[in-house]
Amino acid sequence: MEVFRIQGGARLAGQVQITGAKNSSLKLMAAALLAPGKTVIHAVPNILDVTIMAELLRRLGCKVEYDEAKQAVSIEVPQTIEHRADYDLVRRMRASIAVLGPLVARTGEADVALPGGDAIGSRGLDMHTAGLERMGAVVTNEHGYLVVHAPTGGLVGTALYLDFPSVGATETLLMAGVTANGVTVIDNAAREPEIVDICNMLVAMGAAISGIGGSLLTVTGVDSLHAVEYTTVSDRIVAGTWAVAAAITQGDITVNNVNPSHLSIVLEKLATAGATVEVFENSFRVQMDRRPTAVDIVTLPYPGFPTDLQPQFIALNSIAEGSAMVTENLFEARFRFVQELTRLGAEVRTDGHHALIRGRSKLSGAPVEATDIRAGAGLVLAGLVADGETTVHAVEHIDRGYVNFEKELVELGATVVRETST
Ligand code: UD1
């Protein structure tokens, strides 16, 4: 077990370079299954989840190589692939569910272990399975596995309406639809930049998708797809985390290689908190020269405020002037980390979907534990502005979303070391 030992008080200043989005790379790797041949995906971050997805693809019959220096993964997909995603991998990474759509599309069947509990909420799969059933598949739950059989002749395109614009369900149904018979319409689809990214890759592979970027996706089934070379969209959540780091430490950070329009609402909130935000074509700069003002946020599907930046904003509000209400609409258990934040002296009261934060002029360093990736990032940000030393335990969670986090923090002026905890 490793910890980050942080000495609070530094002002962060400098430049950071954003790489490919974890939440997109993993799905693009799964999408590679849709076409035999060698697909190469660039800007894939060097994180454990990528290693797990690579292992899953190998078990399905692919040859997978990750080139760390180039941040590229090459996936050789054979003509015939397996159709089982084992529990030992799915339980380690919920995003393994991304293979569900491609497996049914390619092989007509899928046995995918049910992911089970998750530190940030129940995260059902009902919209994934209801959509596949509407496309003619038979779905059963057997011994902890979701077992899916497409009809003879393959899935059949139809009109689908999602109860909620779920990222995962949109991805599953898109990948199921690209080679289905006829037209699949996904209404109330998710519109996240990562959805646009997978649509663009599928189109490059030969898929026919219209309405990309909107909430009505029309997928006209084609006979087959072909392997491609593709570059992952950059990680807006990592970029947003650096933006908050600038604001919370009264610093000055320029974030490069990012599409600022993916963070419009986030940058707007930082401006409301008192930051000076400059937006360029592929970068933005956040400067703060005073204590932030508290800002209310409400998490919503894109283009709303991203739930993956909610803990970072709670951290910001905890040292802000005034009080803020944060409403979490996506993952009910995401406030769990608040208990850890209160160990640093933050004044936060939660009630159901709401957290009321009364800004304190300072936090006080203490040992805390990361419960998931983004909670971990929120705790690190709080540690940067806490008096004295904060040790963040369970940094393996943070490592799943932030490559070389502590090295970049140090380059920007923070005092952080990674240590093995005793
Ligand atoms: C993805 C991201 C995650 C992000 C989230 C929302 C990955 C690996 N993870 O998660 O970081 O926070 O999008 O932007 O890309 N739901 C159901 N039934 C379903 C599907 C979803 O009830 O069939 C519920 C979930 O329990 C959750 C909500 O819908 O409460 C959002 O889920 P979804 O948008 O699917 O998020 P993920 O794809 O799991």
Side-chain angles (χ1 to χ4, degrees):
M1 292 283 271
E2 291 182 324
V3 300
F4 284 159
R5 198 174 289 283
I6 306 167
Q7 308 301 328
R11 173 179 180 271
L12 266 52
Q15 309 242 349
V16 290
Q17 192 74 14
I18 304 301
T19 176
K22 164 186 98 77
N23 283 356
S24 204
S25 295
L26 298 170
K27 323 303 174 57
L28 302 182
M29 288 173 74
L33 288 167
L34 287 162
K38 182 173 165 181
T39 282
V40 178
I41 306 167
H42 297 276
V44 174
N46 184 15
I47 51 173
L48 178 67
D49 289 22
V50 167
T51 312
I52 297 173
M53 183 57 86
E55 180 55 26
L56 176 53
L57 297 182
R58 280 187 200 105
R59 288 201 204 165
L60 293 167
C62 305
K63 198 171 155 220
V64 186
E65 275 169 30
Y66 181 68
D67 184 329
E68 196 182 323
K70 289 190 181 148
Q71 299 222 317
V73 64
S74 88
I75 305 163
E76 278 178 50
V77 183
Q79 285 295 337
T80 311
I81 56 172
E82 303 296 326
H83 62 268
R84 186 179 165 90
D86 291 318
Y87 182 57
D88 67 318
L89 292 178
V90 179
R91 66 181 274 276
R92 291 177 69 197
M93 183 185 67
R94 197 191 134 86
S96 306
I97 204 74
V99 300
L100 176 63
L103 292 184
V104 186
R106 271 298 300 287
T107 72
E109 53 187 326
D111 290 12
V112 177
L114 288 160
D118 189 293
I120 59 168
S122 63
R123 305 178 90 174
L125 292 173
D126 51 318
M127 286 182 263
H128 301 242
T129 55
L132 292 172
E133 282 171 340
R134 293 259 309 146
M135 296 173 81
V138 174
V139 183
T140 50
N141 178 342
E142 291 172 28
H143 310 293
Y145 279 72
L146 203 61
V147 178
V148 183
H149 288 279
T152 330
L155 293 168
V156 183
T158 185
L160 305 171
Y161 181 86
L162 301 184
D163 293 345
F164 173 91
S166 151
V167 170
T170 303
E171 288 160 347
T172 293
L173 300 172
L174 262 171
M175 292 192 274
V178 283
T179 54
N181 299 299
V183 179
T184 305
V185 177
I186 310 173
D187 198 352
N188 200 23
R191 290 186 280 163
E192 269 70 2
E194 295 76 25
I195 297 285
V196 172
D197 206 29
I198 195 169
C199 284
N200 288 340
M201 173 161 150
L202 292 170
V203 167
M205 293 170 86
I209 305 172
S210 63
I212 296 173
S215 52
L216 187 74
L217 294 169
T218 304
V219 187
T220 305
V222 295
D223 288 343
S224 61
L225 301 185
H226 54 82
V228 286
E229 196 156 340
Y230 189 81
T231 302
T232 315
V233 68
S234 72
D235 199 316
R236 65 193 164 103
I237 304 301
V238 172
T241 303
W242 289 120
V244 180
I248 201 170
T249 65
Q250 299 189 27
D252 178 357
I253 300 180
T254 299
V255 180
N256 297 310
N257 189 36
V258 62
N259 182 341
S261 73
H262 292 164
L263 285 162
S264 300
I265 193 166
V266 174
L267 297 177
E268 185 64 40
K269 287 287 175 188
L270 290 175
T272 306
T276 304
V277 179
E278 285 174 275
V279 169
F280 309 101
E281 201 179 329
N282 293 310
S283 62
F284 62 81
R285 179 179 182 184
V286 177
Q287 297 174 77
M288 183 70 126
D289 54 13
R290 62 168 175 84
R291 185 176 167 200
T293 306
V295 277
D296 292 341
I297 63 163
V298 178
T299 68
L300 283 170
Y302 189 84
F305 190 95
T307 174
D308 288 352
L309 286 171
Q310 177 258 91
Q312 297 86 322
F313 267 74
I314 290 191
L316 180 77
N317 279 320
S318 71
I319 51 97
E321 190 133 24
S323 298
M325 177 76 87
V326 170
T327 304
E328 172 57 57
N329 287 315
L330 279 91
F331 295 115
E332 65 259 37
R334 248 204 164 138
F335 285 147
R336 265 192 215 166
F337 100 106
V338 161
Q339 281 178 4
E340 296 299 306
L341 197 63
T342 55
R343 291 184 45 73
L344 301 177
E347 214 182 310
V348 189
R349 253 193 23 225
T350 58
D351 185 1
H353 290 282
H354 305 288
L356 178 66
I357 305 116
R358 288 201 177 86
R360 304 281 303 264
S361 57
K362 58 181 183 181
L363 299 178
S364 162
V368 288
E369 184 160 337
T371 46
D372 68 65
I373 304 174
R374 311 305 169 187
L379 291 169
V380 169
L381 295 180
L384 291 173
V385 290
D387 261 1
E389 184 172 283
T390 297
T391 23
V392 180
H393 290 255
V395 298
E396 67 271 13
H397 287 296
I398 303 174
D399 289 338
R400 296 182 79 144
Y402 298 85
V403 184
N404 294 331
F405 198 29
E406 80 280 15
K407 291 198 184 87
E408 299 205 47
L409 285 164
V410 168
E411 273 172 29
L412 293 168
T415 308
V416 184
V417 286
R418 179 188 288 264
E419 284 177 5
T420 305
S421 81
T422 44

